[in-house]
Amino acid sequence: MNQPGDDPQRAEEAGSGYDRLADVRRAGLDQIAQAATVDELRAVEAELLGRSSSLAELQKGLGSLAPEARREAGRAVNEARVELAAALAEQRARLVEAERATQLRSERLDLTEVPYEPRRGHLHLVTQTRDELEDVFVGMGYTVAEGPEVETDWHNFQALNIPVAHPARSTQDTLFLAYGEPESVLIRTHTSPVQVRVMQTQAPPIYSIMPGRVYRKDTPDARHVPTFHQLEGLVIDRGISFADLAGTIEVFTKAYFGPDVTSRLRPAYFPFTEPSAEYEISCVICGGTGCRTCSGTGWIELGGCGMVHPNVLTMCGIDPEEWSGFAFGFGFDRLAQMRHAISDMRVLYDNDIRFVSQF
Ligand code: PHE
């Protein structure tokens, strides 16, 4: 009986085919190891295990082998397939990992070198204005003095020649504190009480400025806020005249606003100065020809001034026969508003960073 597997020639052919198996495996493992990308590996896989691969050929040839040889060759083919498949899986894992590492490296963000500078804050415009004015006056030989924001009625009014029930009190809407006798303690309505404190504690000659925060029971509008800032000036010496006052005001006006802006004094009334004047500057918007900001007058009122009233000197322990002097006070929020042509004063205190960072 002649079975196909018994055919010596076919067995010979088949035998030599299955001898190649070891080479197929070795060559396959080599190819797998040399695949450099997942894509290359996919091509190698098709070549090694696909339908027209050497293994598939050998698999197909099994049918022509004698049962004994077929079993053995079958096991060998299968082992080779399992081994190549395992090597492929291992290499794929390695390549996937490597490709992922490369991708991560290329997409890496170095957060230690943030490409922008952290933004720095700076002083508020009103603070800058105070510093600048202090520099101007310190340059003229003045000292800078401060006083409390919570004041007695005596310092804020009475020592300034404004007795209880004096009509001038109504021009400064006062916020009294519920402390001590009714209406005896308040948050200061102006910086003039610091004059009083300076005169009480220092012997003349006095050349001082007193910047600070003040409070009034005011409704906010484009040119008023209830909490604002004044700079008070006080000079007490021998032979001081109104001309010294006018000259001093013109000097700091030019220093702060530049050469194009001039000052003028208009007769006014304050209980603590005699004579008294209002301090005005030529309008920074229209240059003096008249516009909406200056109500068509060409001038903008910034503060008050005058020769220190003899009653005030006396109340503060200074002999008016020997000494004379002048005082002035103005809101420097308003000064900054004018220099920078800010239409509404309230934006100074809105704390909108888009606004305050411009200065
Ligand atoms: N204290 C006054 C005010 O707030 C201004 C002023 C100061 C006037 C000094 C004269 C002298 O209105």
Side-chain angles (χ1 to χ4, degrees), residues 172 190 192 195 216 230 232 270 272-273 304-306 327-329:
Q172 297 188 357
H190 54 177
S192 299
Q195 284 188 36
R216 290 189 195 173
Q230 283 190 336
E232 191 86 6
F270 296 100
F272 34 96
T273 46
C305 61
F328 56 84

Side-chain angles (χ1 to χ4, degrees), residues 142 207 235 237-251 265 307 324-326 328:
Y142 285 60
Y207 290 80
V235 168
D237 206 341
R238 291 190 175 88
I240 296 293
S241 77
F242 204 91
D244 298 311
L245 168 60
T248 304
I249 284 188
E250 179 66 6
V251 165
L265 301 179
M307 303 307 290
S324 61
F326 64 74
F328 56 84

Side-chain angles (χ1 to χ4, degrees), residues 77 92 106 261 348:
V77 168
R92 175 173 297 108
S106 73
V261 174
L348 285 173

Side-chain angles (χ1 to χ4, degrees), residues 22-175:
D23 292 341
V24 169
R25 270 171 52 182
R26 204 174 311 110
L29 290 175
D30 265 6
Q31 264 180 289
I32 290 169
Q34 273 161 30
T37 67
V38 174
D39 282 345
E40 271 179 49
L41 191 68
R42 197 171 299 123
V44 169
E45 178 170 22
E47 199 181 320
L48 296 181
L49 302 180
R51 238 185 275 161
S52 48
S53 62
S54 312
L55 268 187
E57 293 289 310
L58 291 170
Q59 181 96 31
K60 267 181 247 160
L62 289 174
S64 60
L65 296 183
E68 187 73 3
R70 186 192 306 156
R71 205 176 306 123
E72 209 164 298
R75 194 188 315 118
V77 168
N78 203 44
E79 272 174 21
R81 178 177 288 279
V82 168
E83 191 180 353
L84 289 178
L88 279 164
E90 209 175 290
Q91 178 72 343
R92 175 173 297 108
R94 200 176 303 132
L95 290 176
V96 164
E97 175 67 21
E99 283 179 14
R100 188 171 152 68
T102 309
Q103 185 189 4
L104 283 181
R105 216 174 303 123
S106 73
E107 291 175 359
R108 177 164 186 251
L109 293 178
D110 186 350
L111 297 179
T112 60
E113 286 175 31
V114 184
Y116 56 82
E117 290 263 307
R119 279 210 336 204
R120 275 181 188 237
H122 62 69
L123 295 178
H124 189 277
L125 173 60
V126 173
T127 309
Q128 291 179 36
T129 305
R130 189 199 64 204
D131 288 353
E132 222 175 287
L133 290 167
E134 285 183 5
D135 284 350
V136 170
F137 282 101
V138 167
M140 294 195 281
Y142 285 60
T143 58
V144 181
E146 285 189 329
E149 290 177 23
V150 172
E151 266 297 7
T152 66
D153 183 88
W154 189 82
H155 287 89
N156 195 84
F157 290 123
Q158 294 168 47
L160 291 164
N161 209 24
I162 312 174
V164 176
H166 190 283
R169 287 185 178 226
S170 63
T171 63
Q172 297 188 357
D173 274 327
T174 309
L175 290 156

Side-chain angles (χ1 to χ4, degrees), residues 152-287:
T152 66
D153 183 88
W154 189 82
H155 287 89
N156 195 84
F157 290 123
Q158 294 168 47
L160 291 164
N161 209 24
I162 312 174
V164 176
H166 190 283
R169 287 185 178 226
S170 63
T171 63
Q172 297 188 357
D173 274 327
T174 309
L175 290 156
F176 287 98
L177 300 180
Y179 186 83
E181 291 290 303
E183 307 211 337
S184 64
V185 179
L186 45 82
I187 38 182
R188 64 185 181 193
T189 58
H190 54 177
T191 42
S192 299
V194 192
Q195 284 188 36
V196 174
R197 292 179 178 278
V198 168
M199 286 189 275
Q200 282 183 317
T201 53
Q202 288 175 35
I206 295 169
Y207 290 80
S208 270
I209 52 161
M210 295 139 260
R213 186 173 294 154
V214 301
Y215 306 86
R216 290 189 195 173
K217 214 162 54 188
D218 266 344
T219 307
D221 64 26
R223 300 210 301 155
H224 298 89
V225 287
T227 300
F228 60 106
H229 301 82
Q230 283 190 336
L231 187 131
E232 191 86 6
L234 176 70
V235 168
I236 307 285
D237 206 341
R238 291 190 175 88
I240 296 293
S241 77
F242 204 91
D244 298 311
L245 168 60
T248 304
I249 284 188
E250 179 66 6
V251 165
F252 88 74
T253 300
K254 288 255 185 306
Y256 183 73
F257 287 103
D260 297 337
V261 174
T262 48
S263 66
R264 78 170 182 183
L265 301 179
R266 286 208 312 157
Y269 170 75
F270 296 100
F272 34 96
T273 46
E274 181 59 35
S276 302
E278 254 161 22
Y279 153 50
E280 298 186 336
I281 57 163
S282 54
C283 180
V284 293
I285 308 292
C286 64

